[in-house]
Amino acid sequence: NFMLTQPHSVSESPGKTVTISCTRSSGSIASNYVQWYQQRPGSSPTTVIYEDNQRPSGVPDRFSGSIDSSSNSASLTISGLKTEDEADYYCQSYDSSNQVFGGGTKLTVL
Amino acid sequence: EVQLVESGGGLVQPGGSLRLSCAASGFTFSSYEMNWVRQAPGKGLEWVSYISSSGSTIYYADSVKGRFTISRDNAKNSLYLQMNSLRAEDTAVYYCAREGSLHHFDYWGQGTLVTVSS
């Protein structure tokens, strides 16, 4: 089994851009799609990016996803930060018989 | 509208058992793979178990293997998780999640809290 490692927390000011990384411990990040979920306090997770870089309908284009094979990591970038973006963000991927979540990143918009 | 509604959570003593249910509506339940995901208080998400659309393929996280059993009843549009030999570390909110395209959890329930304590 592999692990996905995220920074514990990030903070940035409204209107700025922030990037959250998700590094895969073994196996290629490109071999299986990566999803990103947003979870606000007291709520269930919702998808902000699926299949590496696809946005569900209703998710603003301020959210984007990418993968970088050289660092074996995925990234979630949020531009034009709004206070409503403050939440926990989780990356997720899989192998043949396991789903794996990253440890989560707390985004503070201050 | 897709809806997933979990039930069955509660307080149970260590070593005890509990059965969670997830009632699905708003989509063709029998066509979708389903999962259970849990979240301990103040902690991150942890995948627990997967079941294929027909129920013929099942996977478990190592942390619950041999103690938990996932099942489904497509006639009743329901997903289940039988949890035996419960431990304090199983204390969490348990979510059922629909698996959309390519291992994407596209819909989640509101969760049900399981507390294992004496």
Side-chain angles (χ1 to χ4, degrees):
Chain A
N1 290 358
F2 64 94
M3 295 191 303
L4 297 172
T5 301
Q6 302 178 232
H8 181 69
S9 63
V10 295
S11 62
E12 191 50 272
S13 303
K16 300 292 190 180
T17 296
V18 70
T19 297
I20 299 171
S21 62
C22 171
T23 302
R24 181 165 171 156
S25 62
S26 61
S28 171
I29 191 72
S31 61
N32 307 101
Y33 283 125
V34 176
Q35 279 66 237
W36 290 91
Y37 303 93
Q38 177 191 70
Q39 187 180 33
R40 295 190 174 103
S43 296
S44 303
T46 60
T47 307
V48 291
I49 293 290
Y50 68 99
E51 292 177 11
D52 294 343
N53 55 19
Q54 302 299 302
R55 272 190 320 276
S57 59
V59 173
D61 61 6
R62 302 185 296 104
F63 290 80
S64 63
S66 63
I67 62 167
D68 180 356
S69 294
S70 65
S71 59
N72 214 34
S73 64
S75 294
L76 171 68
T77 298
I78 311 171
S79 60
L81 277 168
K82 300 184 176 184
T83 55
E84 67 204 47
D85 299 331
E86 187 162 291
D88 293 327
Y89 291 86
Y90 295 90
C91 60
Q92 172 254 324
S93 192
Y94 54 91
D95 62 15
S96 57
S97 59
N98 287 283
Q99 300 275 5
V100 178
F101 287 94
T105 299
K106 181 176 180 59
L107 170 61
T108 303
V109 182
L110 37 66
Chain B
E1 178 195 5
V2 171
Q3 283 200 319
L4 298 169
V5 179
E6 301 93 337
S7 60
L11 175 64
V12 61
Q13 292 188 339
S17 299
L18 214 52
R19 189 196 196 205
L20 306 183
S21 299
C22 172
S25 60
F27 65 102
T28 304
F29 180 70
S30 59
S31 297
Y32 286 86
E33 301 154 304
M34 298 294 295
N35 291 261
W36 287 98
V37 178
R38 68 185 181 183
Q39 186 170 34
K43 302 297 185 183
L45 301 171
E46 179 189 14
W47 170 75
V48 172
S49 185
Y50 158 94
I51 187 167
S52 62
S53 57
S54 66
S56 60
T57 301
I58 286 172
Y59 300 123
Y60 297 100
D62 289 343
S63 58
V64 306
K65 204 171 292 183
R67 301 187 299 122
F68 290 11
T69 302
I70 191 172
S71 62
R72 64 190 296 160
D73 185 335
N74 286 342
K76 294 183 177 180
N77 292 336
S78 292
L79 175 72
Y80 305 101
L81 186 68
Q82 177 67 42
M83 303 186 296
N84 298 332
S85 303
L86 282 161
R87 307 166 179 167
E89 54 265 35
D90 295 319
T91 294
V93 173
Y94 285 73
Y95 296 99
C96 67
R98 191 181 84 166
E99 193 167 317
S101 63
L102 295 171
H103 305 284
H104 164 210
F105 299 130
D106 59 356
Y107 286 94
W108 300 64
Q110 86 289 350
T112 187
L113 176 62
V114 172
T115 303
V116 184
S117 175
S118 54

